[in-house]
């Protein structure tokens, strides 16, 4: 794609930016163009410019749920970097779209605000967590969100309440009918409580997470959604694939619904394991597991090696 002149003039926009560097998972090829707008005005300008110039715009957050493919993403990739946390007069708390959920959980505990403790188990941004209705240990975004402000692909600001977000299990309308809308901030119901008590609940969730999931190693969270009445991890484990390695990627030895980047994995290697786990569960149990991870970008011209 010829470099649009307007992008070359916008401060902070970089060319051929390696996205592995911006993803917790550490995998992914380059973005044609990349920027991290810090406020709504800069983000609006980039969205409007992209729409006017016909340049595709892709949002990323912390990359904790997204596999970026090896040939990267064409067009303009944006990571919204407004990370504010603000108490509002009505008692709610507002998070910027770029605020990390674990940070929000810890800050709320310090402020004696209960309700966002589950955020400690979701190592991603507020914006992406609204997009995917993230949840952990019994609470999800849909339970606590009052409303959020989004920008349309043309940069118009719209406020959506919970019903307008159309939440269901790891889903919101931002994934289909409102595709291309960007979450810039969200407001959550919280209530005053003893800081020590909130912190204790937050720590308990963190301890449960450390005990049951790979920790301190790069992963994408749950690879598959849990099918009704069962657990994807149990099914993958029952196929005997726990610990299976392909190149630098490995199905976690701790929890079979996680794939870890243990040695500079390529996206192709990760996808090979995703497909292997899916196909084995289908073959053995007749269950068609649905991916929870999001795949963005373009594969390398030469695909990875055959299924191990
Ligand atoms: C160890 C580990 C444990 C995890 N545990 C959980 C868990 O318990 N529960 C759970 O739900 N998830 C869990 N996850 C997955 C992940 O943390 C969540 O899905 C999180 O909400 C993703 O945030 P992110 O910023 O990393 O998003 P990314 O992976 O960067 O992006 C996800 C999607 O959001 C879109 N997006 C990004 N920013 C915006 C925005 N501002 N507006 C609109 N769309 C946007 C992107 O285009 C992409 O499609 C876990 C992940 C890991 C690595």
């Amino acid at each position: 794609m010829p470099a649009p002149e307007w992008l070359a003039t916008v401060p902070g926009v970089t060319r051929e930016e390696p996205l592995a560097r911006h993803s917790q998972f550490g995998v992914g090829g380059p973005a044609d163009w990349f920027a991290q707008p810090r406020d709504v005005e800069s983000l609006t300008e980039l969205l409007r410019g992209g729409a006017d110039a016909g340049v595709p715009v892709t949002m990323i957050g912390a990359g904790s749920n997204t596999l970026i493919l090896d040939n990267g993403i064409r067009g303009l990739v944006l990571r919204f970097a407004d990370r504010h946390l603000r108490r509002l007069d009505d008692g709610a708390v507002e998070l910027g779209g770029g605020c990390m959920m674990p940070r929000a959980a810890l800050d709320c505990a310090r402020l004696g605000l209960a309700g966002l403790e589950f955020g400690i188990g979701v190592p991603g941004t507020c914006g992406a967590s609204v997009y995917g209705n993230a949840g952990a240990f019994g609470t999800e975004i849909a339970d606590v969100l009052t409303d959020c402000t989004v920008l349309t692909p043309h940069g118009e600001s719209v406020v959506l309440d919970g019903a307008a977000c159309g939440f269901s299990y790891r889903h919101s309308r931002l994934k289909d009918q409102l595709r291309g809308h960007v979450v810039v901030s969200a407001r959550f119901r919280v209530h005053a409580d003893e800081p020590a008590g909130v912190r204790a609940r937050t720590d308990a969730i963190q301890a449960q997470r450390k005990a049951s999931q790979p920790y301190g190693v790069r992963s994408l969270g749950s690879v598959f959604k849990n099918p009704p009445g069962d657990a994807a991890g149990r099914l993958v484990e029952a196929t005997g694939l726990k610990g299976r390695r392909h190149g630098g990627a490995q199905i976690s030895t701790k929890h079979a619904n996680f794939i870890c980047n243990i040695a500079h994995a390529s996206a192709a290697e990760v996808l090979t394991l995703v497909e292997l786990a899916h196909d084995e569960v289908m073959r053995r149990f007749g269950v068609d597991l649905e991916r929870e991870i999001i795949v963005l970008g373009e594969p390398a011209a030469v695909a990875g090696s055959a299924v191990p």
Side-chain angles (χ1 to χ4, degrees), residues 162-177:
C165 288
F167 291 122
S168 57
Y169 174 49
R170 299 295 174 266
H171 185 81
S172 78
R173 286 176 67 222
L174 295 161
K175 287 192 170 184
D176 42 42
Q177 289 119 307

Side-chain angles (χ1 to χ4, degrees), residues 59-66 121-125 127-129 131 134-136 170 181-183 209 213-214 219-221 258 292 294 296:
M59 293 303 299
I60 60 167
S64 68
N65 197 218
T66 300
V122 179
T125 58
S129 297
Y131 172 90
R170 299 295 174 266
H181 288 54
V182 178
V183 178
R209 190 187 147 208
Q213 300 175 358
S219 79
L220 287 173
F258 285 67
E292 182 169 326
I294 290 156
L296 291 178

Side-chain angles (χ1 to χ4, degrees), residues 19-27 60-66 68 79 100-102 122-125 209 216-221 261:
L19 291 173
R21 188 185 283 176
H22 299 280
S23 152
Q24 280 183 20
F25 194 49
V27 171
I60 60 167
S64 68
N65 197 218
T66 300
I68 300 170
R79 178 170 179 175
M100 291 294 287
M101 294 304 292
V122 179
T125 58
R209 190 187 147 208
V217 53
R218 292 176 146 183
S219 79
L220 287 173
N261 173 11

Side-chain angles (χ1 to χ4, degrees), residues 224 227 232 235-236 238-239 241 274-290:
F224 300 106
L235 289 163
V236 176
T239 66
L241 284 173
V274 173
E275 283 162 18
L276 178 64
H278 172 272
D279 293 352
E280 275 300 288
V281 168
M282 187 68 180
R283 190 177 68 78
R284 296 273 301 274
F285 308 111
V287 178
D288 185 9
L289 289 177
E290 186 188 343

